[in-house]
Amino acid sequence: MAEADTSKRPSVGKRGVLAPLALAQFICSFAGSNMNVMINDISKDLDTTVQGVQLAITLFLLVMAALMIPGGKVTDRYGRKRCFLAGLAVYGVGALLSAVAPGLGVLILGNSILEGVGTALLIPPVYILTTLLFTEVTSRARAFGAVMALGGIGAAAGPLLGGLITSAISWRAAFVFQALVIALIIILSRRIDDPLPPDPTRPFDSKGAILSAVGLILVVMGILAADNDIRLMIGLIVLGALVLVWFFRSVRAKERAGQEPLLSTSLFRDRTSDLGLVTQNIQWLLLMGTSFVVATYLQVVRGYDAIQTGVIFTAATLGLLASSLPAERLAKRWAQRTLIVTGFVVTIAGIGVLLALASGFPSAWAFAPGLLLIGLGLGLSLTPSVNVVQSSFPDDRQGEISGLSRSVSNLGSSFGTAIAGTILVAGLTTHAYGAAMITLAVLGLVGLAAAVLLPRSLTSSASGSPSHEPT
């Protein structure tokens, strides 16, 4: 594959290209969380249940996770900008279809399938282009800080914006809003130049794409079945695991035959990247899991409407803004590992504060301090986690690692909604709510353990890829 000509890359001061990339991450994250405050409205309008809306939300996240690896791989063959624009178009069609959905089935087709497929096509180019256009570690941190800030804001402010739109107009208008933002991104993306030429001869592993997608879908569907049938849950998870084993055996066979698989096993031989992927997965699991659980509890148990629920989530949005926007300054002053570890500590503490205050005080504002801490912690750790993973590989492997990275992150989002949501909808009581949040805190400890194992110092080389010093 052709190497990038760094002399032709735009200067780090050319921030115009960041606007469409960051907005793309914003709208995809918004789509993953804004439906949380529409649960009652959608279920009543479409004559479905809370579980039905949860299924639509989780399937959207799952389709993204299942197709993100193939989505990253096709960018090498067809070009990053072309895939970006194609994803935007598919997403826009899905948003408009969701806006006019007469029932849950059409909503799932538009939101869960088309928006999910569109996201899987457009998100990998966001991270590949950011990595290729910003080559120095602090400038890349600033760029990723902007992308992750808008992504985090989309996820955290999704309930507020969705609540405002739902209360003022209708839940359907929220999908029209998404379509309008997509149109704006398409207009702004004209200023983007692809740093690497597409390679039409690059092979694509169709068998691997199918196996990886089916395996991931079966695993998450198994988790969703936990509140209905334990035997079905076990069966789906085991079957999904077997399909994933089949996928990795297929990958190894292609590598031995000298062919290019969907995902090279060498991506997993970098310890720092592996640990970074774990932290990414848990971060999005915590963000989307908390969003779903708290929003559902406030609406179903306490009876708050969409706008009241959204206002409460403003605290998380402010926290994300406060800690993710100064990513460049933080990257200059502190090691990436320090930021990630601190972020997990603050997030877990936020869950503890949320549980303590929400159970002890009847006021809705008792949720604010905990949500603020959760937002601060996740905003602090999201950007360095992405920077660590993306910077671990050279330019010609950005398609692979970006697809894997986004798949792992979106799988975390799926797990967060599926695991915590399943606990909650199995028994909508304060005990179920507490159990769901405690589960998230325990999983947060897993992310913290992975963060502690990261190298203490990650230094930038001339190419922008860090060298890993021993812990």
Side-chain angles (χ1 to χ4, degrees):
M1 183 175 182
E3 293 291 333
D5 184 357
T6 57
S7 66
K8 295 182 180 180
R9 292 177 182 167
S11 66
V12 294
K14 189 177 179 182
R15 300 180 182 180
V17 296
L18 271 180
L21 301 178
L23 274 176
Q25 179 63 77
F26 165 81
I27 201 63
C28 293
S29 298
F30 172 85
S33 68
N34 83 111
M35 283 179 64
N36 291 336
V37 297
M38 307 175 191
I39 292 172
N40 284 341
D41 296 87
I42 294 176
S43 60
K44 290 176 183 177
D45 193 11
L46 301 185
D47 193 26
T48 185
T49 63
V50 170
Q51 288 89 338
V53 181
Q54 182 207 2
L55 176 64
I57 296 171
T58 305
L59 283 178
F60 166 71
L61 299 169
L62 178 56
V63 169
M64 285 196 296
L67 298 181
M68 204 66 74
I69 294 174
K73 195 70 172 180
V74 297
T75 62
D76 293 327
R77 184 168 184 169
Y78 299 106
R80 285 132 295 275
K81 183 175 180 179
R82 187 180 299 173
C83 289
F84 183 63
L85 293 173
L88 290 170
V90 174
Y91 188 108
V93 172
L96 292 175
L97 185 60
S98 300
V100 299
L104 182 63
V106 177
L107 179 67
I108 289 176
L109 174 61
N111 175 249
S112 307
I113 307 301
L114 291 180
E115 288 192 21
V117 171
T119 302
L121 281 172
L122 71 91
I123 286 297
V126 169
Y127 290 82
I128 298 170
L129 289 169
T130 302
T131 303
L132 296 178
L133 295 171
F134 297 86
T135 58
E136 194 267 327
V137 70
T138 52
S139 66
R140 186 176 290 170
R142 178 178 60 211
F144 275 129
V147 172
M148 298 310 299
L150 281 185
I153 291 168
L160 174 60
L161 293 176
L164 288 170
I165 295 171
T166 299
S167 299
I169 309 175
S170 163
W171 63 268
R172 298 178 185 275
F175 288 102
V176 176
F177 168 75
Q178 293 180 44
L180 292 174
V181 174
I182 289 296
L184 174 62
I185 296 170
I186 291 175
I187 294 172
L188 293 176
S189 63
R190 291 179 301 175
R191 66 185 67 179
I192 297 176
D193 291 321
D194 198 333
L196 293 174
D199 183 3
T201 63
R202 194 77 177 259
F204 182 76
D205 182 6
S206 300
K207 177 183 177 182
I210 294 172
L211 288 176
S212 64
V214 170
L216 292 173
I217 289 171
L218 287 172
V219 170
V220 177
M221 292 304 293
I223 296 173
L224 286 174
D227 60 324
N228 295 319
D229 190 328
I230 296 298
R231 288 179 297 181
L232 177 62
M233 176 197 77
I234 296 173
L236 288 172
I237 292 176
V238 170
L239 184 58
L242 290 174
V243 173
L244 290 175
V245 170
W246 185 5
F247 164 66
F248 280 105
R249 287 177 63 88
S250 172
V251 167
R252 293 297 298 274
K254 282 184 174 294
E255 288 181 328
R256 286 194 296 267
Q259 300 174 349
E260 184 175 344
L262 179 73
L263 190 68
S264 173
T265 56
S266 63
L267 291 177
F268 300 99
R269 294 172 189 160
D270 187 294
R271 179 174 176 269
T272 298
S273 175
D274 291 344
L275 292 170
L277 289 172
V278 173
T279 63
Q280 281 187 37
N281 181 274
I282 301 297
Q283 287 159 1
W284 284 98
L285 184 153
L286 292 174
L287 180 58
M288 300 306 295
T290 299
S291 177
F292 181 83
V293 172
V294 175
T296 304
Y297 175 79
L298 290 174
Q299 292 175 91
V300 178
V301 178
R302 293 203 173 182
Y304 295 161
D305 62 22
I307 193 167
Q308 289 173 318
T309 302
V311 168
I312 294 170
F313 273 93
T314 304
T317 306
L318 293 175
L320 276 159
L321 271 172
S323 57
S324 57
L325 288 180
E328 181 185 15
R329 294 196 301 273
L330 292 172
K332 289 179 178 178
R333 184 171 182 179
W334 304 99
Q336 304 287 281
R337 173 185 179 273
T338 301
L339 295 175
I340 299 171
V341 169
T342 305
F344 272 110
V345 170
V346 174
T347 300
I348 295 169
I351 294 176
V353 171
L354 187 69
L355 284 169
L357 294 182
S359 61
F361 299 92
S363 171
W365 293 109
F367 288 83
L371 289 174
L372 177 64
L373 287 174
I374 291 171
L376 283 169
L378 291 174
L380 190 64
S381 58
L382 279 169
T383 297
S385 286
V386 172
N387 205 1
V388 164
V389 173
Q390 297 289 147
S391 299
S392 295
F393 296 91
D395 289 354
D396 62 353
R397 306 205 67 185
Q398 286 300 311
E400 283 184 294
I401 191 57
S402 293
L404 176 61
S405 173
R406 294 304 90 207
S407 179
V408 167
S409 295
N410 283 288
L411 192 60
S413 297
S414 300
F415 283 156
T417 305
I419 295 172
T422 295
I423 295 172
L424 190 60
V425 300
L428 295 175
T429 66
T430 53
H431 295 298
Y433 162 78
M437 295 306 298
I438 289 172
T439 301
L440 291 176
V442 171
L443 292 170
L445 291 174
V446 175
L448 176 60
V452 169
L453 293 174
L454 284 167
R456 293 183 180 276
S457 177
L458 297 171
T459 57
S460 176
S461 66
S463 64
S465 298
S467 60
H468 310 318
E469 296 182 6
T471 55

